[in-house]
Amino acid sequence: MRVLFLAGINKSHLYAMTPLAWAFQIAGHQVRVASQPDLADDVMRTGFLPAPVGEVLRMNEKLGPAAPPRVDDGQPRTWVKPVDGSFPEDPHGHLESISTGFFPLVCPDSLFTDLIDFAREWRPDLIIWNSLALAGPVAARVSGAAHARLLFGADGLGQIRAAFHAASARNPSGPLNDPLADWLRPFLQRYGHDFDEEIALGQWTIDPMPSWVWHPTTNVHYVPIRHVPYNGPTRVPDWLREPPGRPRVCLTLGVSHRESHGVEASATDLLEAVSDLDIEVVATLDKRQLAERPRIPDNVRAVEFVPMNVLLPTCSAIVHHGGTQTFAAAVESGVPQLIVPSAYWTEKWWGPVAEGNGLERRGAGVYVADSDFLTPDLLRDELVRVLKDPTFKENAGRLRAERMGTPTANELVPVLEKLTAQHRPRA
């Protein structure tokens, strides 16, 4: 069987796919990995032959400033933690915004053209596509392949689609137009096909999120997969071989957020929150992030990168942005988590909200606040509470034990083989 993987925006998305790609390769299948040209070297470092498609993404240049700076009008601001699945925003308006403004940046026209050409030439049996890379299902439909989404976090698009369909059914003037269909339909009609919900959400969805993380109530066929860490070429620092003398806390904003638009949590606030605590902090921040605070607190070790699957088993807690890979590594290490995501409007659909609420319901973590409301005092108080209360560690250990029962990539390959046979059009 030939399996084509379509990576997403950056190498974090690529690395999330790598264990499953290797599981297919080890099982004897032919595997190729398609990505934008600037990820080709990263694909080669994972051990696969790259298929460069589309163009270099210049999202930061095209998106411009993410949002106007918050105005401090002297009025008290109250942090209200959002609840899963009950966002008040208009789902049709949000679907239109991402279908016209965001997705075309992730999937430019050249990506559709190049990927379709490659798929028609190579003839994959199965295309596994990153959930943001919607050229994948279009190429699968045109080339006659089965196809599946591989989620990178919570099912944000599934949530938006479910809310949109519900709003459309309630609309007194009749069904609402579908902005996602309006964007994708021309690519499909060029080859004699049309849009349907499989194009948006896959024939099935490979889901790395634990079942207790909120999922939309839809007809999506979720196939659970256990997170297997892949960090790319890296080394374990010598200092990590020594057990910590004090409680160790990891503080990270991930790798992909380093190129954000200034809406991430402030490194100054994060470091200020831990500066006077009797703990050892490992902060994975780069020079740009650290430039906000020239003096690093004495209890903080600042490093640009360290493998989470090696660091976290030595930690008593982790403070992070809600990134999927970081969240999964913490669950599988049995470490209590404190979620401090970017501004709410950028994160409401994509994971941190669902992760934080799920952790709180299970008593294994805290959704502290998004970056618009986060303060050093708030984070310090919550971190002290998590470190002092042993039930957080106990509950995180229970989540780890539960997660060990989820199928790994190797165990999932036979399931995906059967689904491919069921969904691929007969010749």
Side-chain angles (χ1 to χ4, degrees):
M1 191 165 81
R2 291 186 172 186
V3 185
L4 176 62
F5 283 78
L6 176 59
I9 300 172
N10 53 45
K11 65 181 179 182
S12 294
H13 291 240
L14 167 65
Y15 288 174
M17 290 184 148
T18 300
L20 182 57
W22 266 110
F24 274 105
Q25 183 98 335
I26 291 169
H29 300 293
Q30 298 181 55
V31 176
R32 294 290 297 272
V33 178
S35 73
Q36 63 263 30
D38 52 314
L39 277 182
D41 286 347
D42 293 302
V43 172
M44 287 190 290
R45 292 187 189 101
T46 67
F48 291 103
L49 293 173
V53 290
E55 61 200 57
V56 175
L57 302 184
R58 303 192 183 279
M59 293 177 56
N60 291 353
E61 298 174 12
K62 295 179 181 179
L63 284 173
R70 191 178 74 201
V71 177
D72 185 359
D73 56 7
Q75 299 299 313
R77 294 170 55 79
T78 303
W79 165 241
V80 179
K81 180 165 61 67
V83 179
D84 301 330
S86 62
F87 304 118
E89 293 85 357
D90 170 29
H92 179 262
H94 193 83
L95 183 61
E96 183 172 29
S97 174
I98 62 173
S99 298
T100 59
F102 175 67
F103 281 136
L105 294 182
V106 179
C107 298
D109 290 0
S110 60
L111 177 60
F112 287 88
T113 301
D114 291 354
L115 186 67
I116 289 170
D117 286 347
F118 180 79
R120 294 176 83 184
E121 175 187 347
W122 196 59
R123 306 299 296 180
D125 300 284
L126 171 63
I127 296 179
I128 296 178
W129 46 282
N130 177 282
S131 53
L132 300 181
L134 285 156
V138 174
R141 181 67 58 83
V142 172
S143 66
H147 65 94
R149 287 189 303 165
L150 177 57
L151 292 181
F152 188 83
D155 191 358
L157 184 56
Q159 183 175 0
I160 296 169
R161 296 294 293 176
F164 162 72
H165 288 307
S168 183
R170 294 191 305 266
N171 187 44
S173 302
L176 299 168
N177 75 293
D178 187 340
L180 189 67
D182 292 344
W183 172 51
L184 293 174
R185 184 172 283 119
F187 296 108
L188 290 155
Q189 290 182 337
R190 190 179 304 165
Y191 299 92
H193 299 279
D194 204 354
F195 177 89
D196 56 37
E197 206 63 12
E198 278 190 357
I199 297 295
L201 302 178
Q203 293 176 318
W204 70 92
T205 295
I206 304 167
D207 181 15
M209 285 281 122
S211 60
W212 46 265
V213 171
W214 188 86
H215 289 70
T217 304
T218 64
N219 294 322
V220 176
H221 178 190
Y222 291 106
V223 180
I225 186 171
R226 180 178 148 198
H227 169 75
V228 175
Y230 179 81
N231 300 293
T234 188
R235 295 184 181 185
V236 178
D238 291 340
W239 57 263
L240 195 49
R241 298 173 183 168
E242 298 293 329
R246 297 179 288 176
R248 177 178 283 166
V249 173
C250 173
L251 191 159
T252 182
L253 297 176
V255 174
S256 58
H257 276 219
R258 289 176 178 174
E259 302 301 325
S260 71
H261 305 281
V263 293
E264 63 187 357
S266 163
T268 296
D269 288 345
L270 298 178
L271 295 175
E272 178 65 27
V274 302
S275 62
D276 59 354
L277 299 179
D278 186 22
I279 59 176
E280 174 193 328
V281 178
V282 178
T284 66
L285 302 172
D286 66 6
K287 293 180 180 178
R288 178 189 66 80
Q289 293 165 317
L290 292 171
E292 297 178 19
R293 183 186 175 96
R295 183 184 177 279
I296 307 302
D298 293 340
N299 63 342
V300 173
R301 182 192 298 271
V303 294
E304 284 206 13
F305 178 81
V306 63
M308 288 289 124
N309 56 306
V310 180
L311 171 62
L312 290 182
T314 73
C315 291
S316 299
I318 177 172
V319 178
H320 70 96
H321 59 303
T324 304
Q325 299 284 73
T326 307
F327 166 78
V331 169
E332 299 214 358
S333 297
V335 179
Q337 304 182 50
L338 294 95
I339 308 294
V340 290
S342 299
Y344 166 70
W345 66 269
T346 70
E347 300 288 6
K348 57 192 173 185
W349 306 102
W350 305 118
V353 174
E355 294 165 6
N357 281 299
L359 287 166
E360 289 199 347
R361 285 194 300 268
R362 303 300 292 272
V366 177
Y367 189 140
V368 182
D370 67 48
S371 60
D372 275 347
F373 288 89
L374 184 69
T375 66
D377 288 343
L378 176 58
L379 177 55
R380 182 186 299 110
D381 291 346
E382 293 288 26
L383 179 56
V384 169
R385 180 166 72 94
V386 168
L387 292 174
K388 285 186 175 181
D389 186 346
T391 62
F392 282 100
K393 181 66 174 177
E394 293 166 3
N395 291 329
R398 276 193 283 272
L399 296 189
R400 179 185 185 279
E402 292 173 6
R403 196 62 177 153
M404 293 300 104
T406 305
T408 63
N410 281 357
E411 294 168 326
L412 203 60
V413 167
V415 175
L416 302 183
E417 291 170 344
K418 291 179 181 178
L419 286 169
T420 301
Q422 293 170 8
H423 286 280
R424 190 178 184 198
R426 296 184 181 275

